[in-house]
Amino acid sequence: MKIRHFLSLLDFSTDELHALLHHAIDVKQRLKQGVLHTPLTGKVMAMIFEKSSTRTRVSFEAGMSQLGGHAMFLSPKDIQLGRGEAIEDSARVISSMVDIIMIRTFGHDRLQTLANHSSSPVINGLTDYVHPCQLLADMQTWFELRGNIKGATVAWIGDGNNMCHSYINAAIRFGFTLNIGCPDGYQPNEDLVKSGGDQVHIFNSVNEASKDADLIVTDVWASMGQEQEQKARELAFVPFQVSKQTMQCADKDALFMHCLPAHRGEEVSADVIDGNQSVVWQEAENRLHAQKSLIEMLLK
Ligand code: CP
Ligand code: NVA
């Protein structure tokens, strides 16, 4: 049987993504009621983190335990991958001993190479290109609060980064319109924008991009690996802060999301992220539930 990986949202069909989210909501409710759900007894996940993480690490590790399995944290500082062992060789060896691998890394090609040489399913825990697990949590949060997102308008404000790229893929799979407000020089990948067809629009202004939006989303100005660009990016991104004024351009019932970690006073003002339209804590918690559903689907 062909192994299924989750390297991008596009690896799953619209129907599969809807099924995944419905199962996530169900599993979340059962967990809150104290009902044990341990279909993965004896299963092991290897988690390779070549970048820092709070949410991804805690959610995968807690999720595997709750499902009856186990997750092991592998830092490149401690394994031979960090001393130059080929990713192909690491993939063959690690996947021969565990049931599923999660990796957070830099180049997307590194993730693809790992998947190509793995005999177990591989999950993308973030690359420089996309962050699909975060979109599962974001979509679950929307579904819980508002129902189907099809036909809604989402405004992505800020950097055309990995999160923005995953929002483009989500627009394709879930059928919403995506308005991207970003400074010149920081637009998302051109081919990806083209793949979104007339569902994806680029603006150079926060107010235009957020006009009548149902959901406003942003992310840090400098992603992991871009720390040395922080100062230059601050200059370019100052006019792209999500503020009260941005929320006023959006629909009056609009929600605010951010994958976190956030920098109050940079990409978002404190009164927005801590305000009553913000759903960032529910969004963060849903990483746990959505990924448990994902792991179950991949190991089914
Ligand atoms: N949103 C997210 O992926 O957070 P971490 O970097 O803490 O995992
Ligand atoms: N764009 C951010 C997301 C962090 C979860 C980064 O890649 O650092």
Side-chain angles (χ1 to χ4, degrees):
M1 206 179 71
K2 197 173 174 293
I3 311 163
R4 296 267 334 244
H5 300 298
F6 184 67
L7 310 187
S8 142
L9 281 180
L10 300 181
D11 288 334
F12 281 29
S13 69
T14 298
D15 285 349
E16 285 173 327
L17 289 169
H18 278 266
L20 187 159
L21 296 181
H22 284 120
H23 185 56
I25 292 169
D26 185 46
V27 165
K28 178 178 180 178
Q29 276 163 359
R30 279 194 267 167
L31 181 75
K32 305 264 178 204
Q33 289 159 0
V35 180
L36 278 184
H37 176 63
T38 54
L40 301 187
T41 309
K43 300 283 184 194
V44 179
M45 168 182 276
M47 307 188 297
I48 304 169
F49 280 97
E50 297 189 310
K51 286 176 174 173
S52 305
S53 167
T54 298
R55 280 142 288 268
T56 306
R57 178 174 176 183
V58 175
S59 54
F60 273 112
E61 195 162 333
M64 276 305 284
S65 296
Q66 290 170 6
L67 291 167
H70 174 77
M72 69 174 74
F73 173 75
L74 301 173
S75 149
K77 282 206 291 286
D78 307 314
I79 60 173
Q80 299 289 7
L81 191 60
R83 292 182 60 249
E85 183 168 11
I87 189 105
E88 293 88 338
D89 296 354
S90 305
R92 288 186 187 100
V93 173
I94 296 170
S95 66
S96 74
M97 301 183 197
V98 304
D99 302 282
I100 187 160
I101 300 177
M102 192 286 309
I103 182 167
R104 167 168 285 195
T105 188
F106 292 85
H108 197 74
D109 54 336
R110 203 164 159 76
L111 165 82
Q112 271 162 335
T113 306
L114 179 86
N116 289 344
H117 294 84
S118 171
S119 54
S120 302
V122 172
I123 295 176
N124 178 358
L126 180 148
T127 62
D128 292 342
Y129 184 53
V130 281
H131 191 9
C133 287
Q134 183 65 50
L135 262 290
L136 297 180
D138 289 21
M139 292 300 104
Q140 181 181 341
T141 307
W142 179 274
F143 276 60
E144 286 171 343
L145 295 167
R146 296 281 192 266
N148 201 337
I149 196 162
K150 192 170 180 186
T153 300
V154 177
W156 171 269
I157 306 298
D159 193 14
N161 63 11
N162 45 8
M163 276 296 300
C164 178
H165 290 164
S166 279
Y167 261 93
I168 295 174
N169 288 337
I172 295 169
R173 279 292 181 264
F174 289 96
F176 57 78
T177 296
L178 182 65
N179 293 335
I180 299 169
C182 59
D184 284 340
Y186 295 97
Q187 284 98 346
N189 178 289
E190 227 172 280
D191 292 337
L192 211 44
V193 172
K194 276 197 199 120
S195 73
D198 58 11
Q199 280 174 259
V200 178
H201 311 273
I202 307 270
F203 298 87
N204 188 236
S205 135
V206 177
N207 291 355
E208 280 176 50
S210 16
K211 193 171 173 304
D212 298 329
D214 301 297
L215 171 63
I216 304 279
V217 197
T218 190
D219 186 15
V220 291
W221 291 341
S223 286
M224 289 180 277
Q226 298 172 332
E227 289 76 10
Q228 70 295 342
E229 296 174 31
Q230 176 71 31
K231 283 277 159 267
R233 283 172 167 265
E234 274 172 26
L235 290 176
F237 281 98
V238 163
F240 288 81
Q241 183 188 76
V242 174
S243 63
K244 271 270 177 231
Q245 197 205 347
T246 317
M247 297 309 290
Q248 277 156 10
C249 291
D251 185 85
K252 66 174 181 19
D253 294 322
L255 299 177
F256 171 76
M257 292 192 197
H258 187 310
C259 63
L260 307 178
H263 299 94
R264 288 171 177 75
E266 291 187 20
E267 73 273 8
V268 60
S269 62
D271 54 6
V272 169
I273 194 167
D274 298 320
N276 57 14
Q277 288 169 282
S278 169
V279 293
V280 296
W281 310 122
Q282 182 171 341
E283 178 190 4
E285 182 192 321
N286 281 340
R287 291 293 303 277
L288 170 69
H289 311 296
Q291 289 161 197
K292 281 169 72 181
S293 182
L294 168 68
I295 298 165
E296 274 194 71
M297 239 167 126
L298 290 173
L299 290 182
K300 206 155 51 190

